[in-house]
Amino acid sequence: MLTVEKIGGTSMTALNDVINNIILFNRSGKELYNRIFVVSAFSGVTNLLLENKKTGEPGVYHKLANFKDFHKPLKDLTTRLKEINKSYQGLGLNIEIADQFIETRINDAQTYLENLSNILASGYVNKENILQAAREILASIGETHSAFNFTNILQNKGINATLVDLSGFHDHRSFTIDQRIKHDLEDIKFDETICIVTGYAKGTEGIMREFDRGYSEVTFSKIAVAVKPEEAIIHKEYHLCTADPVLVGVENCYPVGNTNYDVADQLADVGMEAIHPKASKPLEINDINLRIKNTFDPEHPGTLITREYICEHKRVEVITGTDKVMIIDIYDPSMVGTPGSDLQIMQLFYNHGISYNFKATNANSISIVIWEKDFDKKLIHELEENFEKVTYEKAAMVCLIGSNMDRPGLLAKSASALAENGINIKSAGFALRKVNIQFLIAREDFNTAVIALNKAMS
């Protein structure tokens, strides 16, 4: 049974658990093989290379992009990666070889970046393309580092492991990502080795250009489509649960167990990613089942996501949401009966590259919810120029999500649970298929709302 498996950054940092709970768990001899592992960088490394994903704190990339000295940050990065190497010496990592590898890779990257910086300073080239190339070069370092170390440790434990470095660092051939994957995997006998593959893959289209920080799951998805495994598996540091155990308590939630790709898309739309949406589509189209497993709970089968699954009982599968959204309300008395008002608004959103995850309309107004990080005052000014009144405010969204939850009284029961806890509903909505019922509430009520809905649905 061939599997393609993805290991996230937090799990990768706990390599001892990965080896015991994923590589060796209930396996020995030839049972270890027929597995392709796509690995992320160790936790926090890509933040140092690019920028902190949560706080936006700049990394090496932003020094170069702003014409500042990036040599010291690169030197500091080398020191940090060597510290990480040292932490895995007890697992069998050959420190001398690992340090030499990462020193060489960063020195080579520095040469490339210096060339890009000089070209950028000339002012004769497209700045965007040069900076995009810099992001690609820097991003590749993290996954190459973790994949090299992981492979070395497994080999030193007597396991036949093969490093597949898709970064193409010194390969000048003009491969697309799919072509590179096919080329680098085509001669490997999967039943005789464990493949450790970099989550970054170099291609002419630029994986960072289209997917940015979601690229490792896209690589994972593309490999799965290429080799057609029995199953694709993502190992995370937690289960895909019916609610956030930190909020509602571990005893008040449980792993989802089974769901479908539509539900996975709904979760991603509010920031609870089982998998990046652009990575899930190829799996869904090619009818490849996806399993989400908890690295630290190896005996549990996790949650299986398939294309056709529909829960046989009517129930809410997941209660989730986010407290990081903004509501923009556009009002104009001329909207009523006038075709195209919605189109005009959507065109402005499109022009600013802003997507939305909720929209509600009535005769004279349209309310749209976007991520707070995407909020742009320029968009607001353009809306104000075209419509009578535009207001906006910070908010939270709580969602009931499931593959089969359309039953009488669900909406009333949900609204009552919120009302009983003193929570006012600012707006609410759902599409005809009723896989996601959304409530817009005050941001400070988010935690209470999730707990209340989880209790009401249990």
Side-chain angles (χ1 to χ4, degrees):
M1 174 176 163
L2 176 65
T3 59
V4 176
E5 310 186 32
K6 163 76 167 53
I7 304 178
T10 302
S11 292
M12 278 299 294
T13 300
L15 262 186
N16 188 49
D17 293 294
V18 168
I19 292 169
N20 290 328
N21 297 345
I22 298 175
I23 302 296
L24 299 177
F25 187 75
N26 287 340
R27 293 172 185 263
S28 61
K30 289 192 173 181
E31 294 173 331
L32 295 170
Y33 304 129
N34 254 335
R35 306 173 83 188
I36 301 171
F37 288 94
V38 180
V39 301
S40 295
F42 293 120
S43 182
V45 170
T46 307
N47 288 341
L48 297 175
L49 287 160
L50 302 176
E51 63 277 320
N52 189 296
K53 194 174 183 179
K54 292 182 178 179
T55 68
E57 182 180 351
V60 176
Y61 166 77
H62 291 271
K63 295 292 185 181
L64 184 145
N66 293 296
F67 299 98
K68 295 181 180 179
D69 177 42
F70 58 86
H71 295 84
K72 185 180 184 303
L74 269 182
K75 186 176 181 180
D76 293 342
L77 176 72
T78 305
T79 301
R80 175 62 188 135
L81 297 189
K82 284 184 177 181
E83 289 172 355
I84 291 174
N85 290 351
K86 190 174 182 180
S87 71
Y88 297 121
Q89 189 170 14
L91 285 181
L93 179 66
N94 187 314
I95 299 298
E96 184 179 347
I97 292 175
D99 285 355
Q100 183 179 3
F101 173 82
I102 199 59
E103 275 185 7
T104 301
R105 180 55 57 96
I106 291 179
N107 285 338
D108 289 346
Q110 180 173 304
T111 300
Y112 287 150
L113 293 172
E114 286 170 345
N115 291 337
L116 291 178
S117 181
N118 290 333
I119 294 171
L120 195 62
S122 73
Y124 285 108
V125 293
N126 183 301
K127 182 178 180 181
E128 182 181 349
N129 290 341
I130 295 295
L131 291 179
Q132 192 61 52
R135 284 185 75 82
E136 299 270 342
I137 292 167
L138 286 165
S140 72
I141 294 172
E143 275 77 19
T144 308
H145 173 239
S146 61
F148 181 89
N149 285 9
F150 195 13
T151 305
N152 183 263
I153 290 170
L154 293 179
Q155 290 172 343
N156 292 337
K157 289 182 179 294
I159 298 170
N160 186 22
T162 301
L163 173 63
V164 182
D165 184 358
L166 295 178
S167 69
F169 213 71
H170 296 296
D171 185 351
H172 303 296
R173 288 172 292 185
S174 297
F175 285 148
T176 65
I177 296 168
D178 290 333
Q179 288 170 339
R180 186 172 299 282
I181 288 170
K182 181 180 179 182
H183 175 270
D184 287 6
L185 293 179
E186 62 184 353
D187 294 327
I188 297 175
K189 296 179 179 178
F190 298 129
D191 60 347
E192 297 178 3
T193 189
I194 291 175
C195 289
I196 307 299
V197 188
T198 57
Y200 172 86
K202 179 183 176 183
T204 51
E205 64 269 51
I207 199 167
M208 293 286 291
R209 180 177 290 108
E210 186 171 356
F211 307 108
D212 203 53
R213 295 292 285 270
Y215 61 83
S216 60
E217 287 189 356
V218 173
T219 301
F220 158 77
S221 174
K222 285 180 173 291
I223 290 172
V225 170
V227 303
K228 300 293 190 294
E230 292 293 320
E231 197 169 84
I233 304 170
I234 295 180
H235 299 275
K236 294 179 176 283
E237 65 273 18
Y238 49 79
H239 282 296
L240 179 60
C241 285
T242 52
D244 184 350
V246 176
L247 277 182
V248 304
V250 176
E251 69 282 2
N252 296 317
C253 64
Y254 50 88
V256 173
N258 292 88
T259 194
N260 61 37
Y261 279 107
D262 190 4
V263 168
D265 287 343
Q266 305 300 325
L267 295 174
D269 200 41
V270 290
M272 185 182 172
E273 279 190 12
I275 182 172
H276 192 288
K278 290 185 178 179
S280 70
K281 288 302 106 180
L283 298 179
E284 181 179 1
I285 291 167
N286 287 274
D287 202 16
I288 298 171
N289 295 341
L290 172 67
R291 189 178 298 274
I292 308 296
K293 293 203 66 176
N294 184 338
T295 300
F296 308 103
D297 188 8
E299 294 186 1
H300 198 287
T303 294
L304 185 65
I305 301 173
T306 61
R307 189 168 64 179
E308 305 297 340
Y309 175 82
I310 300 293
C311 185
E312 48 184 67
H313 307 295
K314 290 190 180 298
R315 70 181 180 97
V316 175
E317 291 173 20
V318 184
I319 297 167
T320 186
T322 175
D323 61 353
K324 295 178 175 60
V325 293
M326 301 278 292
I327 304 176
I328 301 174
D329 186 77
I330 302 105
Y331 166 83
D332 198 301
S334 65
M335 282 186 185
V336 61
T338 303
S341 296
D342 194 355
L343 175 62
Q344 186 181 359
I345 291 170
M346 289 298 95
Q347 185 63 54
L348 292 174
F349 273 74
Y350 176 81
N351 292 345
H352 287 269
I354 298 174
S355 62
Y356 67 91
N357 47 19
F358 175 93
K359 181 167 66 171
T361 68
N362 61 32
N364 291 324
S365 67
I366 298 177
S367 296
I368 298 173
V369 174
I370 66 171
W371 289 103
E372 184 178 3
K373 63 181 176 61
D374 294 333
F375 181 74
D376 187 346
K377 279 288 187 70
K378 292 179 181 178
L379 169 64
I380 300 299
H381 293 327
E382 287 196 43
L383 289 169
E384 289 172 336
E385 289 173 358
N386 289 274
F387 299 93
E388 184 171 309
K389 186 178 181 181
V390 178
T391 59
Y392 55 89
E393 61 180 280
K394 295 179 180 179
M397 176 189 289
V398 287
C399 306
L400 306 180
I401 299 174
S403 59
N404 181 17
M405 62 178 191
D406 183 15
R407 65 176 187 264
L410 178 60
L411 188 60
K413 187 177 182 180
S414 305
S416 294
L418 295 175
E420 288 167 6
N421 284 270
I423 299 171
N424 183 47
I425 299 172
K426 293 177 178 290
S427 184
F430 52 87
L432 184 63
R433 294 182 65 245
K434 294 185 181 70
V435 293
N436 186 358
I437 298 176
Q438 301 161 299
F439 297 98
L440 273 297
I441 59 174
R443 184 169 288 188
E444 61 268 20
D445 291 331
F446 177 71
N447 290 358
T448 304
V450 172
I451 295 168
L453 290 172
N454 184 65
K455 185 176 180 181
M457 298 300 126
S458 60

